[in-house]
Amino acid sequence: MRLMPAILGAVTVPASYVTARACGYGIDTAVLASFLVCFENGLVTQSRLILLDSPLVFFTVLSLAAWAMFWTKQRQPFSRPWWFWLVATGALMGCAASCKWVGLFLFPVVGLSTIVDLWDKIADRSLTPARWGAHFAARAFGLLAVPLAVYLFWFQVHFALLHKTSDAAGMMSAEFQTTLAGGLNVTTDRDVFYGSEIRIKSTNARSGYLHSHSHAWQHTKGSGQQQVTIYGHADENNLWVVEPAFNTTVDTSNGPVPVAGGAVVRLRHKTTGKYLHSHDKRPALSSQDTKFELSGYGFDNFAGDSNDNFRLEILAGDRSEPGSDKHVQAIYTRFRLIHANLNCAVYNSQKKLPKWAFEQIETNCMRNCMPRMSTWHVEYARLPGTQESASAERPPQASYRRLGLWGKIA
């Protein structure tokens, strides 16, 4: 692993010599420049470490060397050497940007030089407008299109080599994980009805699912009710049943009723039977008066109360799935859960809870929070009884869309 940065650091020295000579300096000056690069303490140390900085410096120096060589061919425009050094400059700039985005600083350096060159050519009366346009197009191709193509090429190589899933795949979006061998493979009922069992996932934080278990909050400012957290793996404790708001009913005599945007619902934890609940208690990791504890609340022969009510606020749907912006659809609908009484949103704090909460991620109910950390979607939905008969028609299905190259990069 250390061999590669050492080799790249060593090759940087003769590349510095070539750059100086191409810029018109004498042999003695070029030797001095390469000598200084060879014994520069920071570069020597950097070449001993397994970091991206060594290839970044290597491709940066080669880019400048190729650009300097291109300038030596200005009297031979559109010749093979002229094209070679122009395209080589663009390719090396793409490699530098592929190492680290710091390499993008090459573009204003080379770009300003190109702008000055093209401006000077406008005053050259020997150049026709068509010839000047050819110079412009050649530089746009070599210094913009070629670096972009190289940048995308290395991404494709990266995706081709690292095509299997791993524990670290959880850092990526669900859509990206579906492209990995052995990765996420979700197919679920599309429509969410009253009575559906659902698994709710944090959309933007990628830290997991809305979760509860039969352990109580233990912080001193809390209620001592059942913990509600975010857990990174799908299990039975992530399942919630959608029910109408407290003291209301839904007429299902004509069939299942879909959950619409703006509806006030309750979420009953399937395993423990307790309802998602919030009240005027502070969460475990905050004392701010805009944040409230989320808990699981309820017991036998108790119908719950209005603090179990949450309003479903749809933020966006999928354009290719009609109705996903009006009714909740698994995978496709992005929504917030707004507490009906406190007017706070179920929020992913991204903070790790203490060991008494199994070091899971805290979720609370927060007022005036940004949508990014309070956006959720349903990853799994199933209405019990809809597929018990083998002859029953299968309900519409939903799954994450597979990303192409540009989607993976973005």
Side-chain angles (χ1 to χ4, degrees), residues 285-286 288 291 348-353 360-362:
L285 302 180
S286 177
Q288 298 177 24
K291 295 182 180 179
N348 182 350
S349 74
Q350 296 186 287
K351 297 178 181 178
K352 185 181 290 188
L353 289 161
Q360 295 175 6
I361 302 300
E362 183 203 39

Side-chain angles (χ1 to χ4, degrees), residues 239-257:
L239 292 177
W240 303 82
V241 180
V242 184
E243 295 187 0
F246 175 66
N247 275 346
T248 63
T249 59
V250 173
D251 183 9
T252 59
S253 59
N254 295 322
V257 177

